[in-house]
Amino acid sequence: MKEYINFSITEQEMAIALQLNRQELDKIVSNLEDSLDSSIEFKESIHFRYFNRKLQERIFSPEGALVIASYIDNNKFNSTTNIKEILKSVMNLVEEHRINRIDNSIRKTVYDNSSSLVVMRELHWLSFKDVVKIFQTKNSKLEESFKNIQSSGDPMKRGEHYEHISAVRYFSFRGIAKLSIELSASLYKKERKDYCTRVPIVVPPVVKDLLALPSSEIPSKEDIESAMRYVKRRDKERCQITGQGRDKINKIELAGHHLFDQKNYSYLAAEVDNIITINREIHENFHQWIGGKDKTCTIDHFITYMETFYPEKNSAILMLYNRRELLKLKLSQLQRYLPESDS
């Protein structure tokens, strides 16, 4: 799955950053692909992937975006174009996507490590153990940071930044923010430093969304078709990503998407919790992004796709994370039927 994460910069974003129209961008990309200059490297699966191969629509990696920007700089396509401004715009775009990937990583750790969450005195609290996992650090490192803060001129206050619940230390959002500053100050690697800095920004909205949530035999073709029809009725003929519905005005096409694919997870093929209704275009784009409909795909792949291209759809992403827990519990009961690569 990690192979796909860095490919998230769309053609539209690139065209805007480069101050070009899509046709001009296509021409530049074609020039790069066809170039005989040995100093130029622009390859599929390294610098770009097809988001929709039928329409020849690509998505770029940060490396691919920088190659395109460098090519424009070296060839001076338009003498009136401010090259410095364009390069700065592309760098900002690459940085924005880098931060989005960090935020997605934090979001995932919060979804997976917030079982201790409690609300007390109108503050949200997470246990020491969960906070360690969210920061992706060690117990000793977090304890050292806490002690450093307590010996500073601005220590944490009990009841505001930290609290003891059943003899376990908990931290509020304010306490997590203080830990973030202390931890990031002690780190040298930029990616880790930025990760710790982003934690207090990402954690609060995710936690609040979590609180808003309401707390075998291989099936036959007929069983699967019946399940697909049921799911479309259950989902009220609406895309569970965009919320769009099909009616006589909106002629959108809907598809039933298996979160764990039918071929490799056949025992879940008629499981209604494994199927969601989505816009057919999103369905096609997802499978293009993952490498084709013959590729094994899981709900984790679809979550990554959502976090990459629809990060603003918080409720849909939350729904998928909760569905994942349910499906993985069912899969654990069917472990002997899983593909070898996933077992």
Side-chain angles (χ1 to χ4, degrees):
M1 182 170 58
K2 290 180 180 179
E3 175 187 353
Y4 302 95
I5 293 175
N6 280 342
F7 293 88
S8 61
I9 300 174
T10 66
E11 287 188 0
Q12 183 176 358
E13 289 175 314
M14 276 300 298
I16 292 171
L18 296 168
Q19 298 178 20
L20 300 171
N21 59 44
R22 297 284 283 275
Q23 291 74 23
E24 290 170 328
L25 177 59
D26 276 342
K27 184 177 179 180
I28 290 169
V29 170
S30 295
N31 289 344
L32 282 166
E33 287 187 273
D34 299 337
S35 176
L36 299 176
D37 187 341
S38 60
S39 66
I40 295 176
E41 183 184 38
F42 193 76
K43 296 181 178 178
E44 184 176 355
S45 79
I46 296 176
H47 300 99
F48 73 94
R49 293 185 66 87
Y50 282 103
F51 187 59
N52 189 323
R53 193 176 290 273
K54 186 186 297 183
L55 298 177
Q56 293 292 290
E57 188 175 358
R58 304 171 181 86
I59 48 175
F60 304 99
S61 65
E63 294 78 9
L66 294 175
V67 168
I68 294 171
S70 176
Y71 182 74
I72 289 176
D73 186 23
N74 293 334
N75 289 273
K76 306 293 188 294
F77 283 97
N78 188 335
S79 59
T80 63
T81 300
N82 186 330
I83 296 296
K84 285 186 178 180
E85 182 182 321
I86 284 178
L87 291 176
K88 181 180 178 181
S89 180
V90 172
M91 291 298 293
N92 287 342
L93 178 61
V94 169
E95 177 64 8
E96 178 186 331
H97 278 260
R98 187 183 73 86
I99 294 299
N100 282 343
R101 287 194 296 275
I102 290 173
D103 287 357
N104 289 340
S105 178
I106 296 169
R107 191 176 294 114
K108 183 177 186 304
T109 63
V110 177
Y111 288 140
D112 290 342
N113 300 284
S114 56
S115 60
S116 65
L117 176 62
V118 295
V119 179
M120 187 170 63
R121 298 190 298 275
E122 298 184 354
L123 295 176
H124 300 78
W125 303 87
L126 286 163
S127 70
F128 184 96
K129 181 180 178 181
D130 277 347
V131 172
V132 166
K133 290 180 179 178
I134 289 169
F135 276 110
Q136 295 187 356
T137 188
K138 297 178 180 178
N139 289 0
S140 57
K141 184 68 177 176
L142 195 74
E143 183 62 30
E144 178 186 350
S145 297
F146 176 72
K147 289 179 177 178
N148 287 343
I149 294 169
Q150 295 310 87
S151 62
S152 71
D154 185 23
M156 288 194 195
K157 297 176 183 177
R158 184 165 181 175
E160 179 181 344
H161 301 100
Y162 77 98
E163 187 57 271
H164 287 102
I165 304 173
S166 300
V168 175
R169 188 186 304 142
Y170 278 64
F171 295 102
S172 67
F173 291 161
R174 297 170 191 173
I176 288 172
K178 279 184 167 289
L179 288 168
S180 166
I181 295 170
E182 180 65 27
L183 279 167
S184 59
S186 67
L187 296 168
Y188 297 99
K189 291 183 179 179
K190 179 174 174 55
E191 201 74 6
R192 281 290 297 139
K193 186 181 280 285
D194 288 344
Y195 180 99
C196 288
T197 300
R198 297 291 300 174
V199 164
I201 299 169
V202 177
V203 168
V206 173
V207 166
K208 288 173 182 177
D209 282 344
L210 282 170
L211 285 174
L213 289 171
S215 297
S216 160
E217 292 181 352
I218 297 178
S220 66
K221 181 180 178 181
E222 290 74 21
D223 289 336
I224 297 170
E225 290 174 351
S226 176
M228 299 277 273
R229 289 193 297 271
Y230 170 82
V231 166
K232 284 191 177 181
R233 291 196 302 272
R234 179 198 67 191
D235 293 342
K236 300 180 180 178
E237 299 283 341
R238 303 189 78 83
C239 173
Q240 299 303 291
I241 305 307
T242 65
Q244 289 177 299
R246 176 177 170 79
D247 53 40
K248 59 185 178 182
I249 297 173
N250 298 307
K251 300 294 185 181
I252 65 168
E253 289 189 58
L254 297 171
H257 173 63
H258 281 80
L259 298 166
F260 287 89
D261 71 85
Q262 292 187 65
K263 180 181 176 182
N264 295 285
Y265 298 88
S266 55
Y267 290 84
L268 286 179
E271 171 56 62
V272 294
D273 289 321
N274 188 42
I275 308 169
I276 60 170
T277 306
I278 59 175
N279 186 314
R280 188 171 296 279
E281 184 179 356
I282 293 175
H283 192 235
E284 295 293 330
N285 285 343
F286 166 72
H287 283 290
Q288 287 279 1
W289 180 72
I290 207 67
K293 289 190 175 180
D294 60 328
K295 297 288 186 181
T296 297
C297 68
T298 71
I299 191 170
D300 289 310
H301 291 96
F302 196 67
I303 288 172
T304 301
Y305 171 83
M306 284 290 299
E307 290 178 333
T308 302
F309 297 104
Y310 298 92
E312 74 283 1
K313 301 293 185 181
N314 287 331
S315 60
I317 293 171
L318 272 168
M319 176 272 290
L320 289 168
Y321 270 104
N322 281 275
R323 191 76 66 87
R324 183 183 70 162
E325 295 308 306
L326 176 62
L327 290 172
K328 290 201 169 181
L329 176 61
K330 293 182 178 182
L331 279 172
S332 69
Q333 299 166 350
L334 299 169
Q335 192 68 32
R336 66 184 184 278
Y337 303 128
L338 298 184
E340 289 185 10
S341 60
D342 291 85
S343 59

